[in-house]
Amino acid sequence: MTPAVSIIVVAYQSGHHLETCLAALERQGFTDHEIILLDNASSDGAPQAAVAAHPGVRFVEAGSNLGFAAGVNRAAALARGAWIALINPDAFADPDWLETLMEASETWPAVKCFSSRQLMADDPGRLDGLGDVMSGAGFPFRGGYTGADPGPVAPGEVFSACGGAMLVARDFFLALGGFDERLFCYCEDVDFGYRMRLIGEPTLVIPAAVVRHVGSTASGGPRSEFAVFHGTRNRLWVYLKDTPPLLLWLTLPLHLLTTALLFLRHADRHEIHAPWRGLMAGLKGLDVALAARREAQATRTVSSWTIARAMTWNPLDLFLRRVVIKKLK
């Protein structure tokens, strides 16, 4: 029988967290689902061990490291559910996570994408994110990241959903081209949400749908060079790709200023190497970004003003990583 939801987990060197993730998914109160585990050629043996412990999981071996974006796309193409739920292999869903998201899909049947409340696994009193935010400077961030969990919050609009714990209509995801595989990993979820915005499709955050995420900095450690490199490169590409022409020229000074301030912060922390390589790779690949821009802007059906209203223009929101949830219309 065709399940209502296909839960997709893309793994790469995920270690013992993967088994915990799958165990939490099998405890979901909403049982009309399948679980697809796509492994990007891990060498730690964790995917094989996890599948042995959870034989009901559909196991797909990519054969090489496709990256998160292409991994999700391949799994989505194999999925049988009308909805796909994405969750990171180091994120652990509360038992009612999927049920809560599916109830939201019934409450707002016109909405095609939903985000979750992410708490830090080692400190559940702090947020890992409550929807993604896009600043007027063209810098995306996870709302509330590392801040105190605000407690009960009403559902509302966010700029985009975090790919670490989201629900999206499968046919819509595939029709929009899925994640941009040129990004490999990092910012592919923001890019997808931005492309949704360009055609007038909103994203709702459902704060009652909770996962607990380990992440690279959940214990206060520095982000890896891999993450900083791809985050820096992809942030530039997404800005150039998705920002409508009028907003691009209006916000370019802000984007350049914010980039300079961020690099000063990196330099003060003696971690300039990775972001510099990311920036140089982004500039070197401008042809990639511009080709992607032509594709994205050709789909746009809404005004620059509509896009601007979905952003935050308060600089403190960016620098303090505040939660920004707009009231439902």
Side-chain angles (χ1 to χ4, degrees):
M1 296 179 63
T2 302
V5 186
S6 297
I7 305 174
I8 294 174
V9 182
V10 175
Y12 179 70
Q13 308 292 74
S14 303
H16 66 279
H17 296 308
L18 179 58
E19 199 283 327
T20 307
C21 171
L22 295 182
L25 294 178
E26 291 194 339
R27 289 194 295 268
Q28 291 298 298
F30 186 91
T31 58
D32 189 9
H33 68 262
E34 65 174 348
I35 301 172
I36 302 174
L37 170 62
L38 183 137
D39 177 51
N40 274 330
S42 299
S43 61
D44 60 359
Q48 291 76 14
V51 170
H54 303 279
V57 172
R58 291 178 63 190
F59 185 40
V60 180
E61 294 184 275
S64 61
N65 188 359
L66 304 178
F68 181 75
V72 168
N73 289 351
R74 178 174 292 190
L78 298 172
R80 297 177 297 167
W83 293 86
I84 55 175
L86 310 182
I87 189 165
N88 279 355
D90 61 346
F92 318 130
D94 280 9
D96 62 349
W97 171 69
L98 191 57
E99 181 179 14
T100 303
L101 290 176
M102 289 304 293
E103 286 176 351
S105 74
E106 295 176 358
T107 302
W108 294 281
V111 176
K112 299 176 177 66
C113 188
F114 299 89
S115 194
S116 308
R117 184 197 300 257
Q118 296 170 214
L119 302 176
M120 291 191 167
D122 65 349
D123 187 359
R126 307 194 76 79
L127 283 174
D128 184 68
L130 192 55
D132 284 351
V133 185
M134 178 61 74
S135 69
F139 272 61
F141 60 96
R142 264 183 280 166
Y145 180 67
T146 74
D149 179 20
V153 177
E157 279 197 40
V158 290
F159 189 84
S160 59
C162 175
M166 66 183 277
L167 180 76
V168 61
R170 176 180 177 271
D171 287 349
F172 174 76
F173 181 80
L174 295 176
L176 206 57
F179 287 148
D180 188 339
E181 298 180 9
R182 291 166 291 202
L183 298 174
F184 193 74
C185 61
Y186 296 101
C187 292
E188 69 290 310
D189 47 1
V190 175
D191 167 68
F192 182 80
Y194 211 140
R195 285 186 282 130
M196 287 181 58
R197 288 285 173 188
L198 291 177
I199 60 173
E201 293 286 352
T203 296
L204 300 191
V205 65
I206 309 300
V210 178
V211 302
R212 300 164 198 276
H213 184 219
V214 175
S216 61
T217 57
S219 299
R223 295 179 68 199
S224 69
E225 287 210 3
F226 179 88
V228 173
F229 169 83
H230 283 86
T232 303
R233 185 196 67 176
N234 293 352
R235 182 176 60 237
L236 174 61
W237 283 358
V238 169
Y239 173 69
L240 293 175
K241 172 185 177 180
D242 295 322
T243 311
L246 178 61
L247 276 180
L248 184 67
W249 292 113
L250 288 175
T251 61
L252 185 59
L254 280 174
H255 187 83
L256 294 175
L257 175 62
T258 307
T259 300
L261 292 174
L262 181 61
F263 269 72
L264 287 173
R265 184 180 178 186
H266 283 304
D268 185 59
R269 295 178 174 181
H270 306 287
E271 55 181 27
I272 197 68
H273 179 66
W276 180 255
R277 285 196 308 111
L279 179 61
M280 291 300 101
L283 294 174
K284 186 177 180 180
L286 279 180
D287 57 331
V288 175
L290 294 177
R293 176 177 179 79
R294 288 189 290 271
E295 297 168 6
Q297 296 304 314
T299 70
R300 184 164 67 95
T301 60
V302 302
S303 67
S304 294
W305 171 243
T306 299
I307 300 295
R309 289 178 62 189
M311 299 177 173
T312 178
W313 295 89
N314 185 339
L316 290 179
D317 288 341
L318 171 60
F319 291 112
L320 299 178
R321 292 175 173 173
R322 290 172 172 167
V323 173
V324 178
I325 301 174
K326 298 181 182 293
K327 291 183 179 180
L328 296 176
K329 297 177 183 177

